[in-house]
Amino acid sequence: MAPRPARRSARGVRKNYNEASSIVLDDDEEPIQVPDNDRDIDDDFGSGSNGVPDFDGDGHGADDDPSSDGDEVDEDGNPKTTTASKSQQKGKRNAGAGMIQSRKGFHDIPHYPLETRIVTRVYAGPLRRYARYSALRDSMYGPEIPRIRVIWALETKWSAFPVLPPKAGASAVRGIMPSPWVPQGFEKNQTLAASKWYERYHLHCPVEELQVCHHVAAHQGESLVPNANGELVTLLGPWDRQREFILPRRGSLEIAENGSPFTQDDIVTDGEEARSRGWMIDVGGIPLAIAWAPFFLRNNRQVLAVATIPFSDQDWSLVVEENSGNHNATSEIQGSVQFWEFAAEEDSSKEGMATPTKRPSRLLGAKCFSWGRPKRMQFCPVPMDESASPSTNGILAVLCSDGRVRVIDCKAIHEDQVPDYACMEAPMVTFGQDNDYNVEVTCLTWANTNRLALGHSDGSITLWSVYPKTLLQRHGAHTTYVIDICSAYPSNPYLVASVPVGGCATLTDMSHPSSEFTYFPVPAISFQPNLLCWNESMQGFMALYPSSTPNTTIAFLHHRFFAQARSICTGPNTLTCVSVGTTHPFILVGCADGSVFACNALQKLFKQKGEPLRKLKIFEHEYRPVVATRSSQGNSIRGAVRILQGYLPEVNDDPRTEKRKEMDRKKRLEREKKSKYTASGKKKGRPKKNAGLEPEQPEEEHDLEGELQEKLASRVVIHEPLTRVTAVAWNPNTNFSCWAACAMASGIIKVMDLGVEDFRA
């Protein structure tokens, strides 16, 4: 019988990578072409003298071609595989996974595949997907030993805090810590430079280009700020004994540790049970964005800027009712930003960490303008020197609905002027693409004091100089609407990550945008803003996991390996916002069901096998509209709010992963049982002896599967629109870095002190 002809197939074929000779290039020399194997040269990744490890875990690259140059083939075209080559390839399999690569050679880039069925958006770098702990640490933060020591020290520093940061100063062993990735004295130098720039602006800027505003009376200013028609009924306190409280419009409640407001007896008694943990305020509208004002020196007051819109903008049933009141035909172009003040008392036992006072917060005033509704807002991250510039709270950039960004100087408000309502006539500077038709600004981020990066509706990102106003560069990073943009300030200010509505998340080095450009290889669709932020401690970005299918997972993308994402936290419902601390790696995640979760992102990144990881639900917010009614004081009620807290930590893992593990465990048990009872005829009587165990095992598995299925089903539950969490923000100031603000669509903002106090420093 004649032998069958051999088939040409690439399955199971391993490609041999030959070591390249070292090529030294000067800045003025052209790159040397290597026609033999058409390999690209990357100075950032090198290979050792033993060759480059395989790109896939199965020992061969995803883009291997059996007929490529350098592979030996027989007469039929099949690749030859000798005994020596087999042993050599077997020894090279998975070699150097996650380890530091030598810089003596170059990292090989595989050939571009000609087969259209092969996905060309692949990652072919030295970091393996399965690399964990020390291998992952050395690849991401090495090979420089000092950088590895820094991240190792940070991971050890907060390893005992799985969910919330410690309330201890920088001098404590396990306390908060300013960025270790910048030179010593960097923050102070940036503050002095910002103060000089601020003074130079006021000295040399023409008078017609300065910021202009006029102040109005309080009763007139209140009509320019969103004012909800009614008060809120709130249910606060421990879950088994909640009480009802009335939260007036633009009112404030001081919250105790158990979640209930202070009573008069609690304030007078100053006991341990009466310690303040934060505030809860009603801003009278939907807070789309919140931002803390940066302060360099220790300041016992903190200022929170809140961009709000009326409820009628997202509920057409209220348009007629609100238009019949103080609103007029031009109300759609009116916008405002509120400023709230929160006081703190210095606690010497916590090494300078601030503690909320029992005094209520207050509304300092508002900036009103006719540029449209405020959509995005961000303070310049560099604070001004309070001794040199005591008259300002910071520089604020506001994106309005007209598609332009205005930069506003937020002047400090004197005590005798509170509340101060200022109508803006002209900002410091306005940014936008006026020469392009129908191109609007969609998102913004600060790179430093005098640099602002913007995303546009045509998919491009731009870098601007604030003063003097100059368009420095424009780069076409995407082809669709840019929904989010974030700078890696302070350690890498010109690294800008951007997420489009449809496409791949990208990372651009604005200092070399034409050459330094990368992206996550999986295209995704995203309609939710506020899901991209920079994690200074971990040197990467926190973002919604880029996926072609809907998910509820926050991922970490290191700036050196942006094309590879690591899961950090999975929420029970659609994610709406995320925030990371500036002096610690803990994250806050807001969901559409009104819940807010917290976890240690650094501990999750460097998890070990079998290590229990936890996340904590800080609180859960629920809103219910009510029929037009009035309170006991005769005031109208617009809705009811319930806030639950006191949850226990839960497993920080994706329910899909847990369910897959449970299914694998059940299959393994079934195979073992089948092989045990059917392997030989002598064991036919065994099932009778173990018959009593069969009813118990399915019951335990059913309970676990039901719990996991319930978690997965919660992702598709639709909640009341005003229940969702719209924005979360950690306080960037060092002594207040344990404070966090969470804004809900019902109009409530909850400011909390989340620092863990009972621990051994």
Side-chain angles (χ1 to χ4, degrees):
M1 184 175 180
R4 298 177 59 184
R7 299 177 58 186
R8 296 173 59 88
S9 175
R11 180 176 299 177
V13 179
R14 297 181 176 88
K15 183 176 179 180
N16 294 328
Y17 292 94
N18 298 325
E19 181 65 15
S21 58
S22 300
I23 302 176
V24 180
L25 297 178
D26 295 334
D27 296 337
D28 298 333
E29 295 180 355
E30 295 292 332
I32 301 175
Q33 302 293 334
V34 184
D36 295 336
N37 49 10
D38 298 332
R39 293 177 300 178
D40 296 334
I41 297 175
D42 191 348
D43 293 331
D44 290 338
F45 305 106
S47 60
S49 58
N50 295 327
V52 180
D54 299 319
F55 293 101
D56 288 342
D58 56 357
H60 63 277
D63 303 333
D64 290 350
D65 187 359
S67 61
S68 302
D69 296 339
D71 292 339
E72 298 181 1
V73 297
D74 55 14
E75 297 178 356
D76 296 331
N78 297 321
K80 292 183 179 180
T81 306
T82 61
T83 305
S85 62
K86 286 183 178 180
S87 60
Q88 182 181 4
Q89 292 168 359
K90 184 176 181 180
K92 290 169 54 180
R93 183 171 181 173
N94 298 340
M99 299 180 63
I100 302 174
Q101 302 292 331
S102 173
R103 292 180 177 269
K104 295 182 180 180
F106 299 96
H107 177 71
D108 288 338
I109 303 298
H111 290 271
Y112 192 87
L114 299 179
E115 177 61 51
T116 58
R117 293 175 298 176
I118 300 177
V119 179
T120 56
R121 291 192 181 100
V122 295
Y123 169 74
L127 179 61
R128 302 302 179 90
R129 181 64 187 172
Y130 51 81
R132 292 292 184 270
Y133 205 58
S134 59
L136 178 66
R137 177 203 62 197
D138 296 343
S139 296
M140 279 191 173
Y141 301 93
E144 295 82 0
I145 300 301
R147 295 180 59 89
I148 297 178
R149 289 177 178 173
V150 168
I151 195 64
W152 179 266
L154 294 180
E155 197 276 336
T156 306
K157 186 182 187 69
W158 293 304
S159 60
F161 303 93
V163 291
L164 292 174
K167 191 174 182 180
S171 59
V173 177
R174 296 183 178 180
I176 55 96
M177 183 179 182
S179 175
W181 306 103
V182 296
Q184 187 175 4
F186 174 83
E187 293 85 355
K188 185 177 181 180
N189 295 334
Q190 287 287 301
T191 299
L192 295 177
S195 300
K196 294 180 180 178
W197 172 87
Y198 184 76
E199 295 175 358
R200 186 167 60 252
Y201 164 78
H202 285 280
L203 290 176
H204 302 287
C205 184
V207 179
E208 60 273 9
E209 297 181 6
L210 291 175
Q211 177 173 299
V212 180
C213 65
H214 66 274
H215 302 272
V216 298
H219 67 277
Q220 184 179 358
E222 290 180 357
S223 63
L224 301 176
V225 178
N227 195 1
N229 296 326
E231 299 176 341
L232 280 176
V233 177
T234 59
L235 298 175
L236 305 175
W239 66 272
D240 55 345
R241 52 183 187 276
Q242 286 193 320
R243 294 184 295 172
E244 182 179 309
F245 299 89
I246 300 296
L247 182 60
R249 288 174 292 184
R250 297 193 182 87
S252 173
L253 293 176
E254 303 81 53
I255 306 300
E257 285 186 292
N258 60 359
S260 60
F262 281 107
T263 62
Q264 190 64 26
D265 297 336
D266 295 332
I267 296 178
V268 174
T269 304
D270 197 18
E272 185 66 22
E273 67 279 3
R275 181 176 299 177
S276 176
R277 300 297 291 184
W279 302 266
M280 191 169 68
I281 61 176
D282 181 14
V283 296
I286 302 177
L288 295 184
I290 56 177
W292 291 97
F295 292 103
F296 177 69
L297 300 177
R298 175 61 190 268
N299 197 331
N300 286 336
R301 65 179 185 88
Q302 296 294 289
V303 177
L304 180 69
V306 183
T308 58
I309 62 173
F311 290 103
S312 60
D313 286 5
Q314 298 184 3
D315 188 355
W316 290 103
S317 63
L318 300 176
V319 174
V320 178
E321 181 181 355
E322 292 194 357
N323 285 342
S324 61
N326 297 328
H327 291 73
N328 49 39
T330 61
S331 60
E332 294 184 359
I333 65 173
Q334 297 294 333
S336 63
V337 176
Q338 303 178 25
F339 296 91
W340 289 78
E341 182 185 72
F342 302 91
E345 55 186 6
E346 187 169 351
D347 193 346
S348 58
S349 63
K350 300 299 179 293
E351 299 184 7
M353 297 299 292
T355 301
T357 61
K358 301 173 185 177
R359 299 191 302 270
S361 60
R362 61 174 181 171
L363 176 64
L364 294 178
K367 301 289 186 183
C368 308
F369 41 81
S370 59
W371 308 320
R373 307 294 195 204
K375 300 171 60 177
R376 306 288 183 89
M377 178 182 60
Q378 187 177 354
F379 268 106
C380 175
V382 183
M384 298 294 175
D385 189 356
E386 298 176 17
S387 59
S389 304
S391 61
T392 182
N393 289 328
I395 307 299
L396 182 66
V398 182
L399 172 62
C400 301
S401 58
D402 64 349
R404 290 177 174 82
V405 171
R406 273 86 176 183
V407 178
I408 301 174
D409 183 8
C410 300
K411 299 288 186 180
I413 302 175
H414 299 285
E415 293 292 334
D416 55 350
Q417 297 178 349
V418 176
D420 177 56
Y421 294 91
C423 292
M424 305 297 302
E425 298 180 5
M428 292 179 60
V429 64
T430 303
F431 297 111
Q433 292 294 339
D434 299 332
N435 298 329
D436 293 352
Y437 174 74
N438 202 21
V439 175
E440 299 179 350
V441 181
T442 57
C443 49
L444 61 95
T445 183
W446 288 92
N448 55 35
T449 305
N450 197 30
R451 294 293 183 270
L452 192 65
L454 307 177
H456 299 270
S457 57
D458 64 344
S460 63
I461 58 177
T462 56
L463 183 65
W464 295 79
S465 170
V466 178
Y467 176 76
K469 177 185 175 182
T470 306
L471 175 59
L472 301 178
Q473 56 182 274
R474 185 178 183 182
H475 183 61
H478 308 280
T479 57
T480 59
Y481 188 103
V482 183
I483 193 70
D484 251 332
I485 191 171
C486 182
S487 170
Y489 180 87
S491 56
N492 300 280
Y494 288 100
L495 291 181
V496 176
S498 54
V499 177
V501 169
C504 300
T506 63
L507 178 63
T508 307
D509 186 355
M510 300 304 288
S511 59
H512 299 87
S514 60
S515 58
E516 300 297 333
F517 174 83
T518 186
Y519 60 89
F520 191 84
V522 178
I525 297 178
S526 177
F527 297 102
Q528 181 62 44
N530 300 329
L531 284 175
L532 178 64
C533 61
W534 169 253
N535 192 328
E536 177 64 20
S537 301
M538 299 173 60
Q539 292 289 285
F541 295 90
M542 293 292 174
L544 181 67
Y545 200 106
S547 174
S548 56
T549 58
N551 68 92
T552 60
T553 301
I554 291 295
F556 171 73
L557 298 93
H558 195 272
H559 75 278
R560 293 173 58 183
F561 299 93
F562 192 81
Q564 196 174 114
R566 304 278 170 157
S567 300
I568 298 297
C569 182
T570 301
N573 203 268
T574 303
L575 304 183
T576 57
C577 50
V578 65
S579 178
V580 183
T582 56
T583 60
H584 54 75
F586 295 85
I587 67 172
L588 287 176
V589 181
C591 304
D593 62 352
S595 59
V596 176
F597 285 85
C599 73
N600 187 344
L602 186 59
Q603 188 182 41
K604 174 69 174 179
L605 179 65
F606 294 127
K607 67 176 181 179
Q608 299 188 37
K609 186 176 182 180
E611 180 183 6
L613 299 178
R614 296 289 182 264
K615 62 182 177 183
L616 178 65
K617 182 187 287 189
I618 305 298
F619 68 88
E620 182 175 349
H621 164 264
E622 184 179 4
Y623 173 83
R624 286 292 181 269
V626 297
V627 182
T629 183
R630 293 188 178 275
S631 63
S632 58
Q633 291 80 13
N635 300 324
S636 60
I637 301 298
R638 74 172 190 266
V641 169
R642 181 179 66 175
I643 294 182
L644 296 175
Q645 64 179 51
Y647 293 90
L648 295 176
E650 55 186 274
V651 177
N652 186 14
D653 201 355
D654 193 337
R656 293 177 299 180
T657 304
E658 298 181 35
K659 186 177 181 180
R660 185 167 57 250
K661 292 179 181 179
E662 179 63 18
M663 294 175 60
D664 294 342
R665 188 183 69 86
K666 290 175 59 179
K667 291 180 180 179
R668 185 173 61 255
L669 290 177
E670 291 178 359
R671 288 195 302 266
E672 293 177 357
K673 185 184 298 184
K674 185 177 180 180
S675 61
K676 181 178 180 180
Y677 297 150
T678 61
S680 62
K682 297 181 180 180
K683 297 182 180 180
K684 292 182 179 180
R686 292 290 181 87
K688 297 181 180 179
K689 297 181 181 180
N690 299 332
L693 299 177
E694 293 181 358
E696 299 179 0
Q697 187 70 15
E699 182 179 358
E700 180 182 356
E701 294 177 358
H702 176 73
D703 293 339
L704 182 57
E705 286 186 354
E707 182 181 354
L708 295 175
Q709 189 64 29
E710 183 179 355
K711 291 182 179 180
L712 292 174
S714 66
R715 302 185 179 189
V716 297
V717 175
I718 299 177
H719 297 267
E720 178 70 27
L722 298 185
T723 296
R724 71 186 187 275
V725 181
T726 57
V728 292
W730 284 102
N731 195 317
N733 302 316
T734 303
N735 295 325
F736 297 83
S737 56
C738 293
W739 289 20
C742 302
M744 281 72 74
S746 62
I748 286 181
I749 295 181
K750 192 174 176 63
V751 178
M752 304 166 291
D753 183 6
L754 299 178
V756 178
E757 299 182 8
D758 297 332
F759 69 94
R760 296 179 181 180

